[in-house]
Every structure is written in C-alpha cells, then in structure tokens.
C-alpha cells in the first residue's frame, strides 16, 4: 500500500487524518468502537485553564448538510486533562495535539506553559472573545492574531505551535501571514462559520446562544478555497478541515496544498468515518499508482 506518513513541524503522523477538536472529546468513547490508534492524530477538546460547563441548552441545531453548535468550550480544564486523559492518548501511539483557548493573553500563555513538552503540538483556538478588547475574537484582526501567537509561542520551549484560523474575517490569508509573523509553526483552517437557525413556531433563535458555529459537508467548498489561498500566502505547513466526509474530500484539501486534514462533523454521522477515509486514501492512491501521499500534496494545477 502507499505510504501515508506525513511530517509537520517535526511531528510524525502515521497518516494525514486527524480528529478535529470538539468532535472527538479525548478519544475514549470512539475507542470503544474502533482502535483510535489507526488515526494519524487527535486534536483534543478545547482546553482552558479552568473547567468550563459551556453554554446553556439548546446548543446544537441541525441543518441541510451542516450543523450549528454553541457548546461553549465545555471541558474539564487543562490540569484534569493532564492527569486523566493524556496518558491514555499517548498509549494509542498517535500524535496528540492539545487545542487550547483563553479569554486573555495571560490565559493563552499560562495554558501553553502547562502543556509545553507534554504533548506533540499545541493548536490555538483564537475564535474566543478577548475580554480585554470588548469581546472581539482574537482571530478577527491580523494584529491580534499576531499578538496572541507571539505570546503563546514565547511560553513554549519545545512544543510546536499551530494556530487555528477563523473564516469569519476579511482575509484569511492575511491572518495566516500574521500568525506566521507571530511565530506560528503551522496553521489549521477553517474553524466554524458563524450562523443562526430560527424556530419559526416560537419565533426565536433555536440556539440559546442565538448564533453558533456552522460545520459539516456544506461548508467544504468554502474551506477548500480558504486553504488554497492560505497555502499560497504562507511558508509554514497548513492543515485543512471543513466538511470532509470521505477520502476524495481529504484529497481535495491536500491537492490544494494542505499537509494533513482534520475530520470533525463527519464523526457524528458515522463514528467510523476516519478509518474509512484512511482506507479510502490507500485505495485511491493504489488505484492511481501513487506510492506516497506526498506526491498529492499541492498537486492541483490552476
């Protein structure tokens, strides 16, 4: 079979299929269905310095080809993760990416310091509201992207830093460049798009939070375009995500320039989506006489 191994910032992945943050927890539940050790890696549930209960319900809404979520980063906190979950993930011999979030720059620096040297990579969730800047997300403006990246990178001595970019911006390429300037070793994209669902019987927003993040198959063309634009703008690796449901979807992202992919919402509709995608990558590469997945990366012609 073709070689699916990829290397990103010195971190080795047995294949380019990574569980996206927020859709896979810390892997235990899915491991009851299949051995998650077959995956290339896992990006953990978003971690904060302190435990969080998340937003009030309802906080999930379904649409045609998409879902909306306003979970609100419910998580046990970074200390509980280190104590209760990290050893399990390491036992599966997969790359462990800790997704982290905060409300202030100090939050980001603090959590990165706690995780440095303990996980394979850190992924900054910068779609969180910056409470010291009127609630605007860290990831909206290039200057704030660069600042939060620089502060986080300064707190790390050994662990590579990947910045997860929001699509709800004027130019995702400009924000990717800002992350690179701030010291990011890689970027991942896209995070969810902002959306809303209305309950027409109650004449109210369906989500208690009013708006939520849109993900799922319906956003894939937008995500592929943004990954392509970003890959043309930066010199650091790009990890693509957004609506991937099958091997062919993953190949689109990689041909557009992504070094690897993350799979999220598809895990809700098919818990075995990622093993099927890995098998599908092997089958497609073998059918096309391609010996190494690296031959596909950035192969799209324009």
């Amino acid at each position: 079979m073709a070689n699916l191994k990829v290397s990103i910032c010195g971190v080795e992945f047995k294949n380019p299929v990574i569980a996206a943050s927020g859709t896979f927890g810390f892997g235990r539940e899915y491991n009851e269905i299949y051995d998650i050790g077959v995956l290339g890696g896992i990006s953990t549930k978003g971690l904060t310095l302190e435990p969080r209960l998340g937003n009030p319900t309802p906080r999930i809404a379904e649409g045609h080809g998409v879902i909306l979520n306003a979970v609100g980063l419910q998580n046990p906190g970074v200390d509980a993760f280190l104590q209760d979950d990290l050893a399990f993930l390491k036992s599966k011999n997969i790359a462990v990416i800790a997704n982290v979030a905060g409300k202030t720059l100090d939050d980001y620096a603090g959590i990165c310091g706690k995780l440095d040297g303990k996980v394979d990579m850190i992924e900054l969730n910068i779609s969180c509201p910056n409470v010291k800047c009127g609630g605007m997300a860290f990831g909206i403006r290039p200057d704030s992207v660069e600042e939060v990246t620089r502060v986080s990178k300064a707190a790390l001595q050994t662990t590579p830093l990947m910045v997860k970019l929001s699509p709800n911006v004027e130019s995702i390429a400009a924000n990717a460049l800002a992350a690179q300037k701030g010291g990011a070793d890689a970027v991942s994209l896209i995070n969810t798009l902002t959306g809303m669902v209305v309950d027409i019987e109650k004449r109210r927003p369906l989500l208690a939070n009013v708006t939520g993040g849109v993900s799922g198959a319906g956003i894939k063309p937008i995500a592929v375009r943004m990954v392509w634009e970003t890959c043309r703008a930066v010199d650091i690796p790009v990890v693509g995500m957004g609506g991937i449901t099958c091997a062919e979807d993953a190949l689109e992202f990689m041909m557009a320039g992504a070094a690897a992919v993350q799979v999220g919402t598809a895990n809700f509709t098919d818990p075995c989506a990622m093993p099927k995608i890995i098998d599908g990558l092997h089958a497609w590469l073998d059918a096309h006489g391609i010996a190494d997945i690296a031959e596909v990366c950035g192969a799209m012609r324009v």
Side-chain angles (χ1 to χ4, degrees):
M1 291 191 295
N3 175 32
L4 294 187
K5 293 180 182 178
V6 297
S7 178
I8 303 172
C9 310
V11 178
E12 300 296 324
F13 296 79
K14 65 185 70 172
N15 60 68
V17 180
I18 302 164
S21 175
T23 64
F24 211 71
F26 301 115
R28 293 183 186 273
E29 294 83 2
Y30 284 91
N31 195 62
E32 296 177 6
I33 302 170
Y34 66 89
D35 178 9
I36 65 170
V38 302
L39 303 178
I42 174 174
S43 182
T44 68
K45 186 77 178 72
L47 296 167
T48 50
L49 279 174
E50 303 295 333
R52 287 185 58 162
L53 294 176
N55 290 327
T57 58
R59 52 190 189 179
I60 295 286
E62 295 186 52
H64 298 292
V66 297
I67 67 169
L68 286 82
N69 92 85
V71 173
L73 291 174
Q74 177 180 344
N75 77 98
V78 63
D79 291 332
F81 164 73
L82 290 171
Q83 177 178 312
D84 302 330
D85 298 297
L86 182 56
F88 163 73
L89 288 174
K90 287 193 169 185
S91 75
K92 306 310 294 184
N93 191 32
I94 56 177
V96 180
I97 304 170
N99 182 282
V100 305
K103 293 183 178 180
T104 66
L105 293 172
D106 288 343
D107 285 351
Y108 280 100
I111 196 168
C112 286
K114 282 178 175 284
L115 290 164
D116 188 33
K118 298 181 176 69
V119 294
D120 296 298
M121 190 178 292
I122 287 174
E123 180 180 56
L124 286 191
N125 175 358
I126 57 172
S127 296
C128 303
N130 182 351
V131 296
K132 292 188 176 180
C133 291
M136 180 180 289
F138 283 97
I140 296 299
R141 299 196 313 263
D143 58 344
S144 59
V145 171
E146 181 180 346
E147 184 179 27
V148 69
T149 302
R150 193 178 305 281
V151 166
S152 300
K153 183 66 175 177
L156 299 170
Q157 294 184 7
T158 61
T159 305
L161 179 67
M162 179 162 64
V163 178
K164 188 171 185 177
L165 300 175
S166 169
N168 305 302
V169 297
E170 181 177 349
S171 169
I172 200 163
N175 283 13
L177 279 169
Q180 177 176 284
K181 187 176 179 181
D185 300 292
V187 291
S188 59
L189 58 145
I190 59 173
N191 208 330
T192 55
L193 294 146
T194 302
M196 178 189 292
V197 174
V198 177
D199 184 328
I200 60 174
E201 298 302 327
K202 296 180 180 178
R203 304 184 186 187
R204 298 178 59 86
L206 195 150
L207 296 173
N209 194 61
V210 181
T211 63
V214 182
S215 64
I219 73 167
K220 190 194 73 176
I222 299 168
V224 172
R225 185 263 299 176
M226 288 189 168
V227 164
W228 175 69
E229 289 178 346
T230 299
C231 289
R232 288 162 53 114
V234 299
D235 300 319
I236 54 179
V238 175
V239 175
M241 72 192 90
I244 296 171
T245 64
C246 60
E248 290 77 10
D249 292 342
L251 286 163
E252 283 192 51
F253 279 87
M254 297 190 75
M255 288 184 181
V261 296
Q262 292 187 15
V263 179
T265 302
N267 295 309
F268 296 150
T269 54
D270 180 359
C272 293
M274 287 192 289
K276 291 177 181 177
I277 290 170
I278 295 166
D279 290 343
L281 289 174
H282 277 298
W284 192 92
L285 293 171
D286 290 347
H288 290 77
I290 298 173
D292 196 306
I293 191 73
E295 296 181 39
V296 169
C297 295
M300 184 180 74
R301 298 184 294 272
V302 180

